[in-house]
Amino acid sequence: MENVFFRMEARMPPPMHRASPLMQTPAASAAADGVPLSKEELLAQDEAELFGRLRIPLYPFLALLISTFVMLEIPYSKPEIPQPVMIAIGFFSAVVIIFLSLESVFFAILGLVAFIPFSNLLPGTFGRFLIAFNLTNIITIVICVGWFARGALHRLPMLYPNRANWLVFLFMLLAVFSFYRGLITNETAFDFLVRLKRYLTPIFFYFVFANNVTNRLQIHYIFAAICAATFGAGFMGVKEAVIDVGTMGSWEKMRICGITAQPNDLAAYFSYYAPLILAMFLQGIRNRWCWLLLVPWWFCAYATLRTFSRGGVLAFAISAWATVFFWNKKIGMALLLGFFAAVLFFPDMLPESVIGRFRGTVTVKATLDGSDMIRYETSANQRIGVWTQAWNLIKLRPFMGVGYGRFMSYVGRDAHNGYLLIAAEMGIPALLVMLFILWRFFWTARRLSASPEPIISLLGLGMSGCIVGVFVANF
């Protein structure tokens, strides 16, 4: 993220009235101002012209692509597609992506952004035809080839240096060491590499985006793809809650999973990405059409409520409030005071799914001697026990941890706390590195939110709320 934004800030021209700032590349701006262009800027200009040359309407293309994923997954079961059909679809998709990526690797990156949220229920696997041959890996391989070709053909560096790269590299090395310490008995080398690959893939995607998304137009489309995919996930969540599950029965029976395998994960997903939609609404609040953005954000909010995840609902609310606060501090404080007033004086105005779930966490009962006895709900009581055991593991091996994936073997349950899990399995140094990375990204996002460029300030505002969601959701 820092690679993209700090390079753009260095050559950022003042606002002008010639072309839309959302569609103007740094190269076009610099050329118009008579500034010599670098290789990176010339390449960015060529890629921007490519969209017009291929005449691909990317917004309808993104809408069609994500709508297809949604329609395929609406039954919330993995579609049983015959293997020959799956192979044909995969081959055709690979050919299309490779063809487009020969012109610009950005097309493959855009396809990856649109597909990743739906890859859990629609993995695009090819059965036993080829191991690990699925749509995600196909697109990733194409991106790697295009990334290397881009650097070799245009003599551009593969990695643009910055401080965040070294922090991410350090965390990656700590993760590899933790994986080695967490080797499972009788685990084959292949199984070990598969687990390691799945863990390191998101880290690899960081380097892909930081070094290949290099101009405003690309950021604009990536932002649109993320928001469209989030809306699709919210729509599927509401459909599951209203039609598939309904509103009858206990809260356990009414929980939804959506595009994920677990309700808590779905709530965390919306906490991470819904602030981007909210930021778009806030930035264009004076435009009446931007008020329509409250519809997809409401879909995400309702789906989050129906997960009945206390931590997820709290993270979603705090990330939304933080986005508003960063946009306008006075309005943010007014909302915060209004919320506390509603909780204290008008609790019945709040959704029952929220109040009932939180009220049931702790109950107080009077004993025979007149004292009060505090009792925790079963799930909360179990988590307190797990967190106590996690703390004991951290004290046992504070620097190196017990090894990745070994927490379950020691405790028997998931940690339900990302920070305790990393500290217990990878050690306190790894936790500190991860927290510093998140803080660095947050600081960068806050700095960019003050940019005069609309798309940069919009992304900075949205990412500020997203990172707050990441901080809170992992508690």
Side-chain angles (χ1 to χ4, degrees), residues 295-336:
V295 175
W297 185 83
W298 177 87
F299 273 74
C300 298
Y302 183 78
T304 303
L305 290 176
R306 286 299 303 271
T307 62
F308 291 95
S309 169
R310 287 165 294 203
V313 170
L314 191 62
F316 185 92
I318 293 178
S319 65
W321 174 81
T323 306
V324 176
F325 179 78
F326 296 143
W327 170 68
N328 189 304
K329 291 181 173 56
K330 292 182 179 179
I331 296 179
M333 291 305 299
L335 286 177
L336 185 62

Side-chain angles (χ1 to χ4, degrees), residues 70-357:
V70 170
M71 294 303 295
L72 282 174
E73 295 187 11
I74 271 183
Y76 285 92
S77 60
K78 293 182 180 180
E80 294 295 333
I81 302 177
Q83 183 174 328
V85 176
M86 194 68 247
I87 294 173
I89 293 175
F91 178 77
F92 176 76
S93 303
V95 169
V96 171
I97 294 172
I98 291 173
F99 171 75
L100 294 175
S101 298
L102 289 175
E103 293 285 350
S104 172
V105 71
F106 176 71
F107 286 105
I109 295 175
L110 193 65
L112 182 68
V113 170
F115 177 71
I116 280 294
F118 306 94
S119 60
N120 183 52
L121 293 177
L122 190 67
T125 55
F126 297 85
R128 298 180 180 178
F129 179 71
L130 280 176
I131 297 176
F133 193 62
N134 55 55
L135 293 181
T136 303
N137 288 342
I138 290 175
I139 299 174
T140 303
I141 292 172
V142 171
I143 289 174
C144 291
V145 174
W147 186 8
F148 177 79
R150 176 178 178 270
L153 293 176
H154 300 279
R155 296 183 180 180
L156 297 174
M158 292 286 293
L159 295 175
Y160 291 96
N162 70 43
R163 299 177 191 134
N165 282 351
W166 293 108
L167 291 171
V168 176
F169 269 124
L170 176 59
F171 185 81
M172 185 170 62
L173 291 176
L174 292 172
V176 173
F177 178 72
S178 177
F179 263 83
Y180 176 76
R181 285 179 51 79
L183 278 172
I184 301 174
T185 306
N186 299 326
E187 183 180 31
T188 64
F190 177 79
D191 292 335
F192 169 78
L193 291 176
V194 168
R195 287 198 305 124
L196 183 61
K197 178 261 179 188
R198 289 174 179 171
Y199 187 86
L200 295 180
T201 295
I203 301 177
F204 170 75
F205 287 158
Y206 157 79
F207 291 106
V208 168
F209 282 82
N211 294 278
N212 290 281
V213 181
T214 56
N215 61 69
R216 294 175 182 84
L217 186 63
Q218 292 177 342
I219 293 175
H220 184 84
Y221 284 126
I222 290 290
F223 191 95
I226 294 174
C227 291
T230 304
F231 176 37
F235 174 81
M236 294 169 63
V238 172
K239 180 262 176 186
E240 181 184 7
V242 175
I243 299 177
D244 298 341
V245 177
T247 58
M248 303 298 292
S250 64
W251 64 266
E252 282 286 355
K253 295 181 179 179
M254 291 192 297
R255 302 186 79 181
I256 63 172
C257 297
I259 60 172
T260 63
Q262 214 272 345
N264 295 334
D265 295 337
L266 182 64
Y269 172 82
F270 289 127
S271 301
Y272 298 165
Y273 296 107
L276 295 177
I277 301 176
L278 185 59
M280 290 180 64
F281 162 72
L282 295 173
Q283 290 283 68
I285 195 170
R286 295 184 179 180
N287 186 335
R288 64 179 183 273
W289 293 107
C290 285
W291 285 78
L292 294 176
L293 291 170
L294 289 179
V295 175
W297 185 83
W298 177 87
F299 273 74
C300 298
Y302 183 78
T304 303
L305 290 176
R306 286 299 303 271
T307 62
F308 291 95
S309 169
R310 287 165 294 203
V313 170
L314 191 62
F316 185 92
I318 293 178
S319 65
W321 174 81
T323 306
V324 176
F325 179 78
F326 296 143
W327 170 68
N328 189 304
K329 291 181 173 56
K330 292 182 179 179
I331 296 179
M333 291 305 299
L335 286 177
L336 185 62
L337 294 175
F339 172 77
F340 282 122
V343 171
L344 293 174
F345 303 109
F346 308 102
D348 294 336
M349 295 177 59
L350 299 175
E352 180 60 29
S353 59
V354 177
I355 296 299
R357 186 82 166 100

Side-chain angles (χ1 to χ4, degrees), residues 404-428:
Y404 182 82
R406 299 300 301 275
F407 187 87
M408 289 284 290
S409 63
Y410 280 91
V411 178
R413 285 177 57 89
D414 182 68
H416 286 286
N417 186 298
Y419 305 109
L420 289 178
L421 182 63
I422 290 178
E425 291 188 342
M426 301 175 63
I428 294 177

Side-chain angles (χ1 to χ4, degrees), residues 430-456:
L431 174 62
L432 294 177
V433 172
M434 188 202 73
L435 290 175
F436 189 74
I437 291 173
L438 290 177
W439 170 254
R440 179 73 182 180
F441 287 165
F442 176 76
W443 177 81
T444 303
R446 295 299 304 130
R447 180 178 175 182
L448 293 170
S449 63
S451 169
E453 292 290 331
I455 189 61
I456 303 300

